């Protein structure tokens, strides 16, 4: 007997196909595939929303960082730092940003 290797994407697609066939309950299918019902509903929902591409793993990194400096402020700081006469300290930088030198 030959051992067959299947990838995670193949297993997820087989799970969705079995689920959509309606032959077994979600609980029974999840038990057969060794996943929780929460994961089963997650994969089924992603398949319905995005198709087969929705079965890929999503990145875990956040899309935005809550403590990131605003882009317009970063651009303004860079412009101030490029000025030839700015003082190289925090007070000079604060003054240059708040006074908006001409």
């Amino acid at each position: 007997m030959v051992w067959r290797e299947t990838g995670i994407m193949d297993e997820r697609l087989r799970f969705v196909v079995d689920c959509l066939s309606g032959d077994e309950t979600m609980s029974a299918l999840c038990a057969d595939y060794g996943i929780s019902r929460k994961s089963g509903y997650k994969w089924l929902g992603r398949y319905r929303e995005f198709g087969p591409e929705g079965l890929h793993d999503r990145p875990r990194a956040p899309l935005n960082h809550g403590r990131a400096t605003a882009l317009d402020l970063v651009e303004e700081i860079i412009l101030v730092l490029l000025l030839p006469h700015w003082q190289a300290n925090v007070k000079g930088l604060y003054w240059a940003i708040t006074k908006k030198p001409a």
Side-chain angles (χ1 to χ4, degrees), residues 10-50:
D10 297 330
E11 290 296 317
R12 289 176 183 167
L13 192 57
R14 275 188 37 217
F15 171 80
V16 169
V17 168
D18 289 346
C19 189
L20 292 177
S21 71
D23 294 337
E24 292 188 51
T25 64
M26 178 64 84
S27 299
L29 276 175
C30 291
D32 290 344
Y33 281 87
I35 59 173
S36 67
R37 284 188 10 226
K38 181 178 178 181
S39 295
Y41 283 111
K42 175 178 72 171
W43 294 123
L44 183 61
R46 285 188 186 177
Y47 181 81
R48 285 182 174 158
E49 187 174 349
F50 302 109

Side-chain angles (χ1 to χ4, degrees), residues 43-102:
W43 294 123
L44 183 61
R46 285 188 186 177
Y47 181 81
R48 285 182 174 158
E49 187 174 349
F50 302 109
E53 293 300 316
L55 300 177
H56 289 286
D57 287 329
R58 293 184 179 174
R60 295 181 182 200
L63 298 177
N64 57 4
H65 301 280
R67 299 188 71 190
T69 306
L71 185 60
D72 57 340
L73 182 59
V74 170
E75 290 172 352
E76 196 168 335
I77 290 171
I78 291 172
L79 288 176
V80 168
L81 291 175
L82 294 176
L83 292 175
H85 62 278
W86 95 282
Q87 297 173 355
N89 60 31
V90 175
K91 288 182 183 179
L93 182 61
Y94 176 77
W95 179 85
I97 290 174
T98 57
K99 302 298 182 194
K100 304 250 187 214

